[in-house]
Amino acid sequence: MVKVLFVCLGNICRSPMAEAIFRKKVAEAGLEKDFVIDSAGTGDWHIGNRPHDGTLKILKDNKVDSENMLARQVKKEDLKQFDYIIAMDAENLGNLNRMKGYGESGEINRLLDYIPESKVVDVPDPYFTGNFEEVYELVEEACKQLLTHIKKHKL
C-alpha cells in the first residue's frame, strides 16, 4: 500500500481538494486497493469541519466526490505512517520538517514540486484569495503528475 497525505494550513481548502482529486485519479487508474489517501492541516482551527464551501463547489462542478471529508490536524505519527507527505506551500513544508525532527518519515515535498515546469511553487490559499478555480487547476495537474511519479517509483 502506498500512503499519501496532503497537508495545508487548516485542512478545509487545498489539502481536502488534493485528497479528493487524487482519490479520483487513483480510482480512474483502477488502483484504489493500492493506496491510502488522506489530508490534514498544520493548524487546529477547523478540526471536525467539512471543507470550505468554495472547495465543495469546485469539486462538485468537476464531478469529484467530497463525501465524508472532515478536517483534522496532522500528527507526528502521520509522518511515520505515510510514504508521501505533500505540503501545499513552503510554510506547511517548514512546519512538517520541524515536526519530523530526527525520526523517520516519508518523503516530504510540496505538491507543485511534481510539476517540473511550473513557475508557481506554492499552491495559493483560496481561503484568502477566493480563487478556487486557479487552485483546482494547479492541484489537478500536480495530482496527475504525482500519480505518474508514484507509479514509476513505488508500483
Side-chain angles (χ1 to χ4, degrees):
M1 296 285 286
V2 179
K3 298 176 183 174
V4 181
L5 178 68
F6 295 97
V7 179
C8 69
L9 186 59
N11 192 217
I12 60 167
C13 293
R14 298 171 292 172
S15 59
M17 185 185 298
E19 175 188 349
I21 291 169
F22 194 68
R23 279 185 193 282
K24 182 177 182 183
K25 294 198 171 303
V26 165
E28 289 171 347
L31 298 170
E32 307 100 295
K33 67 182 182 346
D34 297 319
F35 282 85
V36 171
I37 305 163
D38 198 2
S39 64
T42 57
D44 63 358
W45 310 278
H46 303 289
I47 292 173
N49 293 344
R50 292 275 295 137
H52 187 283
D53 288 343
T55 295
L56 294 173
K57 181 182 182 327
I58 197 81
L59 291 173
K60 182 179 179 186
D61 290 350
N62 287 280
K63 297 176 178 50
V64 179
D65 182 37
S66 62
E67 289 302 310
N68 303 317
M69 297 178 78
L70 297 175
R72 72 176 187 89
Q73 189 172 22
V74 68
K75 301 173 286 211
K76 192 164 183 127
E77 307 87 75
D78 290 330
L79 302 181
K80 293 180 182 178
Q81 293 173 354
F82 285 87
D83 302 302
Y84 292 88
I85 299 105
I86 309 298
M88 297 297 122
D89 62 33
E91 181 181 358
N92 306 141
L93 183 65
N95 289 335
L96 291 166
N97 280 320
R98 279 187 293 283
M99 273 182 85
K100 92 174 177 182
Y102 295 104
E104 291 182 31
S105 82
E107 184 176 312
I108 302 175
N109 291 309
R110 283 186 290 201
L111 181 60
L112 297 185
D113 291 346
Y114 294 96
I115 307 177
E117 68 279 1
S118 179
K119 294 186 181 3
V120 180
V121 295
D122 290 331
V123 177
D125 192 341
Y127 186 84
F128 300 108
T129 69
N131 195 341
F132 288 87
E133 183 65 40
E134 173 194 24
V135 171
Y136 181 87
E137 290 171 11
L138 287 168
V139 170
E140 196 278 331
E141 178 60 27
C143 283
K144 180 172 85 173
Q145 298 293 337
L146 173 61
L147 182 56
T148 298
H149 172 85
I150 292 172
K151 286 178 5 184
K152 181 178 179 183
H153 293 94
K154 288 277 189 187
L155 298 177

